[in-house]
Amino acid sequence: MEGLRELLANNRDWAERVSAANPQFFPELAGQQSPRYLWIGCSDSRVPANEIVGLKPGEVFVHRNVGNVVAHGDLNCLSVLQYAVDILQVSHVVVVGHYGCGGVAAVLDPKPRGLIDNWLKHIEDVAIQEREALEAEPDAEVRVNLLCEMNVQRQVENVARTSVVQAAWDRGQSLGVHGWIYSLSDGLLKDLKCSQFEPGYAADTET
């Protein structure tokens, strides 16, 4: 229990510091959330969405799972996407992977891991389709990172093909879907230049 008590103490300290700096922060935050961004990222504890992009609580709506996968049968992810697009009216959906992803690496090192193997099939499908390019890379670490990028690009396509996003575009909603990847070694994000958006998407909202 000692570790949990430390977390609660840290929380009190944080809340006091925030309130001292801005007494209206929590009342305003409790009143509403109006983020412009939906972040679909990996569950990896080293990739905290708000901190990476320097935004405060309430400014990024977040969904995370192992390998930043967008599966058309995943009602959890699709419900988050629909709420973000239809209710919160976000302007951007950003799929964010990271180099050295353990889920991606597991696909390239096939051995039984239990229940997670079923989830990783979504990434394995990408690896199978891109087998020739992956096998052409001799360095194992580079190969993992290449698949990390390929996986983000595929998940951007998956987001764009959902009924939620298609419906938003059909009604003329300004919404972009983007793919980024994060480097744990230097803390920088890279735009993979695979954005998708409807024809009327405002130029000044692009990444």
Side-chain angles (χ1 to χ4, degrees):
M1 290 294 291
E2 184 61 36
L4 296 180
R5 281 195 290 270
E6 181 181 357
L7 294 183
L8 292 171
N10 290 346
N11 168 251
R12 287 191 294 272
D13 291 342
W14 171 77
E16 289 171 1
R17 288 196 307 272
V18 171
S19 294
N22 180 5
Q24 293 304 309
F25 179 81
F26 288 114
E28 290 175 357
L29 190 64
Q32 65 175 351
Q33 63 169 336
S34 54
R36 294 183 60 212
Y37 314 96
L38 168 60
W39 172 294
I40 300 177
C42 183
S43 298
D44 194 298
S45 62
R46 300 167 294 176
V47 192
N50 284 71
E51 292 185 37
I52 286 174
V53 291
L55 294 179
K56 297 178 293 186
E59 296 184 325
V60 184
F61 200 56
V62 178
H63 174 78
R64 298 171 68 172
N65 62 53
V66 175
N68 43 272
V69 168
V70 179
H72 292 288
D74 181 5
L75 295 182
N76 184 351
C77 181
L78 295 180
S79 296
V80 170
L81 179 63
Q82 182 174 30
Y83 189 82
V85 172
D86 294 351
I87 307 302
L88 298 177
Q89 297 278 299
V90 298
S91 300
H92 307 276
V93 177
V94 190
V95 179
V96 185
H98 65 96
Y99 291 124
C101 178
V104 173
V107 167
L108 296 177
D109 179 26
K111 58 184 178 183
R113 290 178 170 84
L115 183 63
I116 189 65
D117 291 338
N118 298 281
W119 182 253
L120 295 179
K121 291 292 183 184
H122 299 296
I123 304 175
E124 185 180 346
D125 289 343
V126 181
I128 291 171
Q129 185 170 350
E130 302 291 347
R131 175 175 292 156
E132 185 174 343
L134 291 169
E135 290 180 349
E137 175 50 61
D139 185 279
E141 182 178 354
V142 174
R143 192 159 56 246
V144 168
N145 289 338
L146 179 59
L147 183 54
C148 289
E149 293 184 350
M150 291 172 170
N151 181 51
V152 169
Q153 292 163 341
R154 172 64 60 84
Q155 305 315 320
V156 167
E157 294 173 2
N158 287 347
V159 172
R161 290 172 52 219
T162 62
S163 59
V164 173
V165 171
Q166 290 294 315
W169 286 341
D170 286 345
R171 61 179 176 261
Q173 184 171 337
S174 182
L175 176 69
V177 184
H178 315 279
W180 295 350
I181 195 156
Y182 177 70
S183 173
L184 296 167
S185 63
D186 60 16
L188 296 178
L189 287 162
K190 175 184 177 182
D191 184 354
L192 293 178
K193 307 295 184 183
C194 57
S195 296
Q196 297 195 30
F197 38 83
E198 54 88 27
Y201 190 69
D204 64 356
T205 63
E206 293 181 37
T207 56

